[in-house]
Amino acid sequence: MKFIYSVLAIIAILGVFFLAYTWYKAPKYVNGEIAPNFTSASPTGEEISLSDYKGEYVLIDFWGSWCGPCRMENRQLVPLHDKYQQLKFKDAKGFTILSVGIETRKERWLGAIQQDNLHWGSHVSELQRFKGEISKLYKINEIPTKYLVNPEGQIIGVNLTVKQIDDLLSKRLAS
């Protein structure tokens, strides 16, 4: 009987850890919610806000130069950006990626932007890794994390694959 209680206790403890980890990983915002605005500095010191892109589809991409999966995903984001950058949408002025660097070292961040050919102009970082205000606002505990926002500022996708983002955007193209 003690064995059964021990096994049940272990299962309960593992269940609690699983639930805690799932809660920890869960994005703060879900589909249908309005993406909170934020402002931060670009590599040149220019202030960039999410609200600057009102009327466009925006992919908010939380990533880091030190994050292997982020760097691999960048290889897919560049062609996605290039594909939709100049296309016309039924309900939007365009598409952009707003990259939020979860960083502490500016030179590594800038080097990764250049190495990965992230040639869109909307890059920001507070250089405080997960302790920055934007990270706290969006409860970023792991990267990559992505939010796809529609022209009205509403979140329409959280942590979608690049293929899923491509599918969503292609359905919204003007005829």
Side-chain angles (χ1 to χ4, degrees):
M1 197 64 158
K2 274 186 165 181
F3 176 74
I4 292 174
Y5 287 132
S6 296
V7 169
L8 290 175
I10 290 170
I11 291 171
I13 290 169
L14 290 174
V16 168
F17 280 116
F18 175 76
L19 289 173
Y21 180 69
T22 302
W23 174 81
Y24 174 79
K25 280 182 42 171
K28 183 171 183 177
Y29 302 103
V30 296
N31 289 356
E33 293 185 278
I34 298 297
N37 190 39
F38 58 85
T39 301
S40 189
S42 74
T44 61
E46 173 192 359
E47 293 288 309
I48 296 177
S49 298
L50 174 59
S51 61
D52 295 342
Y53 302 98
K54 190 90 169 162
E56 297 183 42
Y57 285 100
V58 180
L59 179 63
I60 307 170
D61 176 30
F62 293 91
W63 73 291
S65 62
W66 48 272
C67 168
C70 300
R71 301 293 296 275
M72 288 177 38
E73 198 168 68
N74 284 346
R75 296 180 197 153
Q76 297 173 7
L77 288 178
V78 171
L80 179 81
H81 173 267
D82 293 349
K83 177 179 180 179
Y84 289 104
Q85 179 186 17
Q86 299 297 324
L87 295 179
K88 303 290 183 206
F89 292 88
K90 296 173 191 170
D91 59 347
K93 294 185 281 186
F95 168 74
T96 196
I97 299 174
L98 176 50
S99 297
V100 181
I102 306 299
E103 303 285 344
T104 55
R105 294 178 48 205
K106 185 174 182 177
E107 63 279 356
R108 287 192 65 191
W109 173 50
L110 297 177
I113 291 170
Q114 186 174 15
Q115 287 172 359
D116 294 356
N117 195 29
L118 307 181
H119 51 268
W120 49 90
S122 45
H123 296 275
V124 298
S125 181
E126 298 168 307
L127 301 174
Q128 296 176 347
R129 223 176 241 183
F130 294 105
K131 295 177 182 168
E133 290 303 312
I134 301 170
S135 295
K136 290 177 187 176
L137 178 64
Y138 278 81
K139 194 185 121 187
I140 303 301
N141 294 315
E142 69 176 18
I143 53 176
T145 295
K146 294 180 179 10
Y147 287 92
L148 183 60
V149 179
N150 74 10
E152 291 79 41
Q154 185 179 44
I155 296 168
I156 59 171
V158 180
N159 288 333
L160 301 173
T161 66
V162 173
K163 169 88 171 88
Q164 290 170 318
I165 296 166
D166 187 23
D167 289 346
L168 267 171
L169 292 174
S170 69
K171 290 176 185 170
R172 291 166 165 79
L173 289 172
S175 302

